PDB file of all heavy atoms in Angstrom:
ATOM      1  N   PHE A 520      -1.465 -12.163  51.461  1.00 96.00           N
ATOM      2  CA  PHE A 520      -0.340 -11.231  51.447  1.00 96.00           C
ATOM      3  C   PHE A 520      -0.591 -10.089  50.467  1.00 96.00           C
ATOM      4  O   PHE A 520      -0.339  -8.913  50.776  1.00 96.00           O
ATOM      5  CB  PHE A 520       0.947 -11.975  51.077  1.00 96.00           C
ATOM      6  CG  PHE A 520       2.157 -11.087  50.997  1.00 96.00           C
ATOM      7  CD1 PHE A 520       2.788 -10.637  52.145  1.00 96.00           C
ATOM      8  CD2 PHE A 520       2.665 -10.700  49.767  1.00 96.00           C
ATOM      9  CE1 PHE A 520       3.902  -9.809  52.076  1.00 96.00           C
ATOM     10  CE2 PHE A 520       3.779  -9.881  49.682  1.00 96.00           C
ATOM     11  CZ  PHE A 520       4.395  -9.432  50.844  1.00 96.00           C
ATOM     12  N   VAL A 521      -1.089 -10.407  49.282  1.00 96.00           N
ATOM     13  CA  VAL A 521      -1.385  -9.380  48.278  1.00 96.00           C
ATOM     14  C   VAL A 521      -2.403  -8.382  48.829  1.00 96.00           C
ATOM     15  O   VAL A 521      -2.247  -7.165  48.681  1.00 96.00           O
ATOM     16  CB  VAL A 521      -1.909 -10.023  46.980  1.00 96.00           C
ATOM     17  CG1 VAL A 521      -2.496  -8.968  46.048  1.00 96.00           C
ATOM     18  CG2 VAL A 521      -0.794 -10.780  46.279  1.00 96.00           C
ATOM     19  N   GLU A 522      -3.446  -8.903  49.465  1.00 95.00           N
ATOM     20  CA  GLU A 522      -4.462  -8.020  50.037  1.00 95.00           C
ATOM     21  C   GLU A 522      -3.863  -7.111  51.103  1.00 95.00           C
ATOM     22  O   GLU A 522      -4.157  -5.909  51.139  1.00 95.00           O
ATOM     23  CB  GLU A 522      -5.593  -8.851  50.633  1.00 95.00           C
ATOM     24  CG  GLU A 522      -6.743  -8.014  51.179  1.00 95.00           C
ATOM     25  CD  GLU A 522      -7.853  -8.859  51.777  1.00 95.00           C
ATOM     26  OE1 GLU A 522      -7.692 -10.094  51.818  1.00 95.00           O
ATOM     27  OE2 GLU A 522      -8.856  -8.282  52.226  1.00 95.00           O
ATOM     28  N   ASP A 523      -3.009  -7.651  51.953  1.00 94.00           N
ATOM     29  CA  ASP A 523      -2.360  -6.858  52.994  1.00 94.00           C
ATOM     30  C   ASP A 523      -1.509  -5.740  52.386  1.00 94.00           C
ATOM     31  O   ASP A 523      -1.538  -4.599  52.838  1.00 94.00           O
ATOM     32  CB  ASP A 523      -1.473  -7.750  53.875  1.00 94.00           C
ATOM     33  CG  ASP A 523      -2.277  -8.486  54.938  1.00 94.00           C
ATOM     34  OD1 ASP A 523      -3.511  -8.307  54.965  1.00 94.00           O
ATOM     35  OD2 ASP A 523      -1.682  -9.236  55.728  1.00 94.00           O
ATOM     36  N   VAL A 524      -0.743  -6.090  51.362  1.00 95.00           N
ATOM     37  CA  VAL A 524       0.143  -5.103  50.728  1.00 95.00           C
ATOM     38  C   VAL A 524      -0.665  -3.985  50.078  1.00 95.00           C
ATOM     39  O   VAL A 524      -0.371  -2.795  50.255  1.00 95.00           O
ATOM     40  CB  VAL A 524       1.053  -5.791  49.686  1.00 95.00           C
ATOM     41  CG1 VAL A 524       1.793  -4.746  48.854  1.00 95.00           C
ATOM     42  CG2 VAL A 524       2.045  -6.708  50.368  1.00 95.00           C
ATOM     43  N   VAL A 525      -1.710  -4.349  49.336  1.00 94.00           N
ATOM     44  CA  VAL A 525      -2.513  -3.348  48.622  1.00 94.00           C
ATOM     45  C   VAL A 525      -3.217  -2.414  49.592  1.00 94.00           C
ATOM     46  O   VAL A 525      -3.174  -1.189  49.446  1.00 94.00           O
ATOM     47  CB  VAL A 525      -3.531  -4.044  47.696  1.00 94.00           C
ATOM     48  CG1 VAL A 525      -4.507  -3.023  47.112  1.00 94.00           C
ATOM     49  CG2 VAL A 525      -2.807  -4.781  46.575  1.00 94.00           C
ATOM     50  N   VAL A 526      -3.868  -2.990  50.610  1.00 93.00           N
ATOM     51  CA  VAL A 526      -4.599  -2.163  51.577  1.00 93.00           C
ATOM     52  C   VAL A 526      -3.639  -1.269  52.361  1.00 93.00           C
ATOM     53  O   VAL A 526      -3.909  -0.082  52.584  1.00 93.00           O
ATOM     54  CB  VAL A 526      -5.409  -3.065  52.539  1.00 93.00           C
ATOM     55  CG1 VAL A 526      -6.005  -2.243  53.673  1.00 93.00           C
ATOM     56  CG2 VAL A 526      -6.514  -3.792  51.776  1.00 93.00           C
ATOM     57  N   THR A 527      -2.505  -1.819  52.770  1.00 92.00           N
ATOM     58  CA  THR A 527      -1.549  -1.064  53.577  1.00 92.00           C
ATOM     59  C   THR A 527      -0.987   0.138  52.826  1.00 92.00           C
ATOM     60  O   THR A 527      -0.748   1.194  53.416  1.00 92.00           O
ATOM     61  CB  THR A 527      -0.392  -1.982  54.022  1.00 92.00           C
ATOM     62  OG1 THR A 527      -0.916  -3.042  54.816  1.00 92.00           O
ATOM     63  CG2 THR A 527       0.632  -1.214  54.833  1.00 92.00           C
ATOM     64  N   HIS A 528      -0.802  -0.001  51.513  1.00 94.00           N
ATOM     65  CA  HIS A 528      -0.097   1.042  50.761  1.00 94.00           C
ATOM     66  C   HIS A 528      -1.004   1.919  49.908  1.00 94.00           C
ATOM     67  O   HIS A 528      -0.512   2.699  49.093  1.00 94.00           O
ATOM     68  CB  HIS A 528       0.986   0.396  49.892  1.00 94.00           C
ATOM     69  CG  HIS A 528       2.074  -0.256  50.695  1.00 94.00           C
ATOM     70  ND1 HIS A 528       2.016  -1.576  51.082  1.00 94.00           N
ATOM     71  CD2 HIS A 528       3.214   0.236  51.231  1.00 94.00           C
ATOM     72  CE1 HIS A 528       3.093  -1.884  51.791  1.00 94.00           C
ATOM     73  NE2 HIS A 528       3.831  -0.804  51.909  1.00 94.00           N
ATOM     74  N   GLN A 529      -2.304   1.820  50.111  1.00 92.00           N
ATOM     75  CA  GLN A 529      -3.219   2.699  49.373  1.00 92.00           C
ATOM     76  C   GLN A 529      -2.961   4.168  49.661  1.00 92.00           C
ATOM     77  O   GLN A 529      -3.150   5.027  48.802  1.00 92.00           O
ATOM     78  CB  GLN A 529      -4.675   2.354  49.726  1.00 92.00           C
ATOM     79  CG  GLN A 529      -5.212   1.139  49.004  1.00 92.00           C
ATOM     80  CD  GLN A 529      -6.633   0.802  49.418  1.00 92.00           C
ATOM     81  OE1 GLN A 529      -7.113   1.256  50.458  1.00 92.00           O
ATOM     82  NE2 GLN A 529      -7.318  -0.001  48.619  1.00 92.00           N
ATOM     83  N   THR A 530      -2.553   4.483  50.881  1.00 93.00           N
ATOM     84  CA  THR A 530      -2.346   5.877  51.273  1.00 93.00           C
ATOM     85  C   THR A 530      -0.872   6.237  51.399  1.00 93.00           C
ATOM     86  O   THR A 530      -0.552   7.314  51.906  1.00 93.00           O
ATOM     87  CB  THR A 530      -3.037   6.144  52.620  1.00 93.00           C
ATOM     88  OG1 THR A 530      -2.492   5.261  53.615  1.00 93.00           O
ATOM     89  CG2 THR A 530      -4.528   5.915  52.516  1.00 93.00           C
ATOM     90  N   ARG A 531       0.011   5.377  50.923  1.00 94.00           N
ATOM     91  CA  ARG A 531       1.457   5.636  51.051  1.00 94.00           C
ATOM     92  C   ARG A 531       2.085   5.846  49.682  1.00 94.00           C
ATOM     93  O   ARG A 531       3.086   5.229  49.326  1.00 94.00           O
ATOM     94  CB  ARG A 531       2.135   4.479  51.803  1.00 94.00           C
ATOM     95  CG  ARG A 531       1.580   4.270  53.206  1.00 94.00           C
ATOM     96  CD  ARG A 531       2.226   3.077  53.896  1.00 94.00           C
ATOM     97  NE  ARG A 531       3.625   3.297  54.209  1.00 94.00           N
ATOM     98  CZ  ARG A 531       4.062   3.863  55.329  1.00 94.00           C
ATOM     99  NH1 ARG A 531       3.193   4.280  56.252  1.00 94.00           N
ATOM    100  NH2 ARG A 531       5.349   4.027  55.544  1.00 94.00           N
ATOM    101  N   THR A 532       1.463   6.718  48.886  1.00 95.00           N
ATOM    102  CA  THR A 532       1.922   6.939  47.511  1.00 95.00           C
ATOM    103  C   THR A 532       2.176   8.416  47.210  1.00 95.00           C
ATOM    104  O   THR A 532       2.099   8.839  46.065  1.00 95.00           O
ATOM    105  CB  THR A 532       0.896   6.382  46.506  1.00 95.00           C
ATOM    106  OG1 THR A 532      -0.363   7.058  46.692  1.00 95.00           O
ATOM    107  CG2 THR A 532       0.699   4.888  46.685  1.00 95.00           C
ATOM    108  N   GLY A 533       2.449   9.212  48.232  1.00 95.00           N
ATOM    109  CA  GLY A 533       2.746  10.624  47.999  1.00 95.00           C
ATOM    110  C   GLY A 533       1.521  11.470  47.749  1.00 95.00           C
ATOM    111  O   GLY A 533       1.567  12.437  46.979  1.00 95.00           O
ATOM    112  N   LEU A 534       0.402  11.149  48.385  1.00 95.00           N
ATOM    113  CA  LEU A 534      -0.831  11.920  48.238  1.00 95.00           C
ATOM    114  C   LEU A 534      -0.767  13.210  49.055  1.00 95.00           C
ATOM    115  O   LEU A 534       0.067  13.338  49.958  1.00 95.00           O
ATOM    116  CB  LEU A 534      -2.019  11.075  48.708  1.00 95.00           C
ATOM    117  CG  LEU A 534      -2.297   9.792  47.919  1.00 95.00           C
ATOM    118  CD1 LEU A 534      -3.287   8.915  48.664  1.00 95.00           C
ATOM    119  CD2 LEU A 534      -2.813  10.124  46.528  1.00 95.00           C
ATOM    120  N   PRO A 535      -1.633  14.191  48.761  1.00 95.00           N
ATOM    121  CA  PRO A 535      -1.681  15.398  49.606  1.00 95.00           C
ATOM    122  C   PRO A 535      -2.018  15.023  51.041  1.00 95.00           C
ATOM    123  O   PRO A 535      -3.020  14.360  51.302  1.00 95.00           O
ATOM    124  CB  PRO A 535      -2.812  16.223  48.978  1.00 95.00           C
ATOM    125  CG  PRO A 535      -2.916  15.739  47.576  1.00 95.00           C
ATOM    126  CD  PRO A 535      -2.570  14.278  47.632  1.00 95.00           C
ATOM    127  N   GLU A 536      -1.177  15.445  51.956  1.00 93.00           N
ATOM    128  CA  GLU A 536      -1.317  15.020  53.349  1.00 93.00           C
ATOM    129  C   GLU A 536      -1.147  16.229  54.262  1.00 93.00           C
ATOM    130  O   GLU A 536      -0.207  17.013  54.096  1.00 93.00           O
ATOM    131  CB  GLU A 536      -0.258  13.954  53.657  1.00 93.00           C
ATOM    132  CG  GLU A 536      -0.243  13.457  55.081  1.00 93.00           C
ATOM    133  CD  GLU A 536       0.891  12.479  55.328  1.00 93.00           C
ATOM    134  OE1 GLU A 536       1.361  11.848  54.351  1.00 93.00           O
ATOM    135  OE2 GLU A 536       1.325  12.347  56.488  1.00 93.00           O
ATOM    136  N   GLU A 537      -2.080  16.394  55.202  1.00 89.00           N
ATOM    137  CA  GLU A 537      -2.003  17.530  56.103  1.00 89.00           C
ATOM    138  C   GLU A 537      -0.750  17.434  56.966  1.00 89.00           C
ATOM    139  O   GLU A 537      -0.265  16.355  57.279  1.00 89.00           O
ATOM    140  CB  GLU A 537      -3.245  17.606  56.994  1.00 89.00           C
ATOM    141  CG  GLU A 537      -3.368  16.492  58.009  1.00 89.00           C
ATOM    142  CD  GLU A 537      -4.550  16.669  58.945  1.00 89.00           C
ATOM    143  OE1 GLU A 537      -5.216  17.715  58.858  1.00 89.00           O
ATOM    144  OE2 GLU A 537      -4.798  15.771  59.763  1.00 89.00           O
ATOM    145  N   THR A 538      -0.220  18.595  57.322  1.00 86.00           N
ATOM    146  CA  THR A 538       0.960  18.617  58.177  1.00 86.00           C
ATOM    147  C   THR A 538       0.543  18.484  59.634  1.00 86.00           C
ATOM    148  O   THR A 538      -0.622  18.638  59.982  1.00 86.00           O
ATOM    149  CB  THR A 538       1.732  19.925  57.986  1.00 86.00           C
ATOM    150  OG1 THR A 538       0.852  21.032  58.193  1.00 86.00           O
ATOM    151  CG2 THR A 538       2.306  20.024  56.585  1.00 86.00           C
ATOM    152  N   PHE A 539       1.502  18.206  60.480  1.00 81.00           N
ATOM    153  CA  PHE A 539       1.228  17.976  61.894  1.00 81.00           C
ATOM    154  C   PHE A 539       2.440  18.479  62.675  1.00 81.00           C
ATOM    155  O   PHE A 539       3.486  18.769  62.090  1.00 81.00           O
ATOM    156  CB  PHE A 539       0.987  16.490  62.161  1.00 81.00           C
ATOM    157  CG  PHE A 539       2.031  15.584  61.566  1.00 81.00           C
ATOM    158  CD1 PHE A 539       3.170  15.245  62.283  1.00 81.00           C
ATOM    159  CD2 PHE A 539       1.893  15.100  60.278  1.00 81.00           C
ATOM    160  CE1 PHE A 539       4.140  14.434  61.732  1.00 81.00           C
ATOM    161  CE2 PHE A 539       2.863  14.284  59.714  1.00 81.00           C
ATOM    162  CZ  PHE A 539       3.993  13.947  60.445  1.00 81.00           C
ATOM    163  N   PRO A 540       2.340  18.632  63.980  1.00 76.00           N
ATOM    164  CA  PRO A 540       3.485  19.116  64.760  1.00 76.00           C
ATOM    165  C   PRO A 540       4.740  18.285  64.508  1.00 76.00           C
ATOM    166  O   PRO A 540       4.695  17.061  64.448  1.00 76.00           O
ATOM    167  CB  PRO A 540       3.004  18.977  66.217  1.00 76.00           C
ATOM    168  CG  PRO A 540       1.523  19.108  66.120  1.00 76.00           C
ATOM    169  CD  PRO A 540       1.142  18.444  64.818  1.00 76.00           C
ATOM    170  N   ASN A 541       5.843  19.002  64.323  1.00 77.00           N
ATOM    171  CA  ASN A 541       7.152  18.378  64.063  1.00 77.00           C
ATOM    172  C   ASN A 541       7.194  17.635  62.727  1.00 77.00           C
ATOM    173  O   ASN A 541       7.981  16.704  62.551  1.00 77.00           O
ATOM    174  CB  ASN A 541       7.540  17.418  65.198  1.00 77.00           C
ATOM    175  CG  ASN A 541       7.614  18.109  66.537  1.00 77.00           C
ATOM    176  OD1 ASN A 541       8.150  19.213  66.643  1.00 77.00           O
ATOM    177  ND2 ASN A 541       7.054  17.493  67.569  1.00 77.00           N
ATOM    178  N   TYR A 542       6.334  18.028  61.790  1.00 85.00           N
ATOM    179  CA  TYR A 542       6.381  17.422  60.471  1.00 85.00           C
ATOM    180  C   TYR A 542       7.687  17.818  59.779  1.00 85.00           C
ATOM    181  O   TYR A 542       8.366  18.761  60.167  1.00 85.00           O
ATOM    182  CB  TYR A 542       5.191  17.878  59.624  1.00 85.00           C
ATOM    183  CG  TYR A 542       5.280  19.321  59.179  1.00 85.00           C
ATOM    184  CD1 TYR A 542       5.790  19.653  57.924  1.00 85.00           C
ATOM    185  CD2 TYR A 542       4.868  20.361  60.002  1.00 85.00           C
ATOM    186  CE1 TYR A 542       5.877  20.971  57.521  1.00 85.00           C
ATOM    187  CE2 TYR A 542       4.958  21.677  59.601  1.00 85.00           C
ATOM    188  CZ  TYR A 542       5.460  21.981  58.358  1.00 85.00           C
ATOM    189  OH  TYR A 542       5.558  23.291  57.959  1.00 85.00           O
ATOM    190  N   ASP A 543       8.043  17.063  58.735  1.00 89.00           N
ATOM    191  CA  ASP A 543       9.277  17.309  57.999  1.00 89.00           C
ATOM    192  C   ASP A 543       8.947  18.100  56.736  1.00 89.00           C
ATOM    193  O   ASP A 543       8.286  17.600  55.829  1.00 89.00           O
ATOM    194  CB  ASP A 543       9.937  15.975  57.638  1.00 89.00           C
ATOM    195  CG  ASP A 543      11.372  16.151  57.200  1.00 89.00           C
ATOM    196  OD1 ASP A 543      11.639  17.066  56.413  1.00 89.00           O
ATOM    197  OD2 ASP A 543      12.237  15.391  57.659  1.00 89.00           O
ATOM    198  N   LEU A 544       9.415  19.326  56.677  1.00 93.00           N
ATOM    199  CA  LEU A 544       9.125  20.208  55.545  1.00 93.00           C
ATOM    200  C   LEU A 544       9.624  19.639  54.227  1.00 93.00           C
ATOM    201  O   LEU A 544       8.993  19.821  53.185  1.00 93.00           O
ATOM    202  CB  LEU A 544       9.775  21.573  55.800  1.00 93.00           C
ATOM    203  CG  LEU A 544       9.669  22.614  54.684  1.00 93.00           C
ATOM    204  CD1 LEU A 544       8.244  23.131  54.594  1.00 93.00           C
ATOM    205  CD2 LEU A 544      10.635  23.766  54.922  1.00 93.00           C
ATOM    206  N   TRP A 545      10.749  18.916  54.262  1.00 96.00           N
ATOM    207  CA  TRP A 545      11.358  18.438  53.018  1.00 96.00           C
ATOM    208  C   TRP A 545      10.561  17.292  52.411  1.00 96.00           C
ATOM    209  O   TRP A 545      10.566  17.122  51.186  1.00 96.00           O
ATOM    210  CB  TRP A 545      12.801  18.014  53.275  1.00 96.00           C
ATOM    211  CG  TRP A 545      13.554  19.044  54.055  1.00 96.00           C
ATOM    212  CD1 TRP A 545      14.061  18.925  55.314  1.00 96.00           C
ATOM    213  CD2 TRP A 545      13.842  20.390  53.647  1.00 96.00           C
ATOM    214  NE1 TRP A 545      14.644  20.097  55.712  1.00 96.00           N
ATOM    215  CE2 TRP A 545      14.524  21.024  54.710  1.00 96.00           C
ATOM    216  CE3 TRP A 545      13.586  21.131  52.496  1.00 96.00           C
ATOM    217  CZ2 TRP A 545      14.967  22.339  54.651  1.00 96.00           C
ATOM    218  CZ3 TRP A 545      14.012  22.450  52.433  1.00 96.00           C
ATOM    219  CH2 TRP A 545      14.700  23.038  53.493  1.00 96.00           C
ATOM    220  N   GLU A 546       9.877  16.509  53.225  1.00 95.00           N
ATOM    221  CA  GLU A 546       9.075  15.403  52.700  1.00 95.00           C
ATOM    222  C   GLU A 546       7.632  15.815  52.433  1.00 95.00           C
ATOM    223  O   GLU A 546       6.958  15.227  51.594  1.00 95.00           O
ATOM    224  CB  GLU A 546       9.108  14.222  53.675  1.00 95.00           C
ATOM    225  CG  GLU A 546       8.441  12.971  53.138  1.00 95.00           C
ATOM    226  CD  GLU A 546       8.641  11.764  54.041  1.00 95.00           C
ATOM    227  OE1 GLU A 546       9.615  11.748  54.812  1.00 95.00           O
ATOM    228  OE2 GLU A 546       7.823  10.838  53.965  1.00 95.00           O
ATOM    229  N   ASN A 547       7.147  16.826  53.141  1.00 95.00           N
ATOM    230  CA  ASN A 547       5.762  17.268  52.975  1.00 95.00           C
ATOM    231  C   ASN A 547       5.699  18.794  52.998  1.00 95.00           C
ATOM    232  O   ASN A 547       5.539  19.398  54.045  1.00 95.00           O
ATOM    233  CB  ASN A 547       4.881  16.682  54.081  1.00 95.00           C
ATOM    234  CG  ASN A 547       3.422  17.027  53.887  1.00 95.00           C
ATOM    235  OD1 ASN A 547       3.024  17.525  52.838  1.00 95.00           O
ATOM    236  ND2 ASN A 547       2.609  16.777  54.896  1.00 95.00           N
ATOM    237  N   PRO A 548       5.817  19.429  51.835  1.00 95.00           N
ATOM    238  CA  PRO A 548       5.821  20.899  51.779  1.00 95.00           C
ATOM    239  C   PRO A 548       4.435  21.518  51.651  1.00 95.00           C
ATOM    240  O   PRO A 548       4.317  22.719  51.366  1.00 95.00           O
ATOM    241  CB  PRO A 548       6.636  21.174  50.507  1.00 95.00           C
ATOM    242  CG  PRO A 548       6.269  20.036  49.605  1.00 95.00           C
ATOM    243  CD  PRO A 548       6.064  18.833  50.517  1.00 95.00           C
TER     244      PRO A 548
END
Side-chain angles (χ1 to χ4, degrees):
F520 178 77
V521 168
E522 184 180 3
D523 279 1
V524 170
V525 172
V526 172
T527 299
H528 295 90
Q529 281 178 342
T530 59
R531 300 177 68 88
T532 60
L534 297 168
E536 178 184 336
E537 68 175 355
T538 54
F539 49 89
N541 301 317
Y542 72 96
D543 195 315
L544 176 72
W545 312 114
E546 187 173 336
N547 184 11

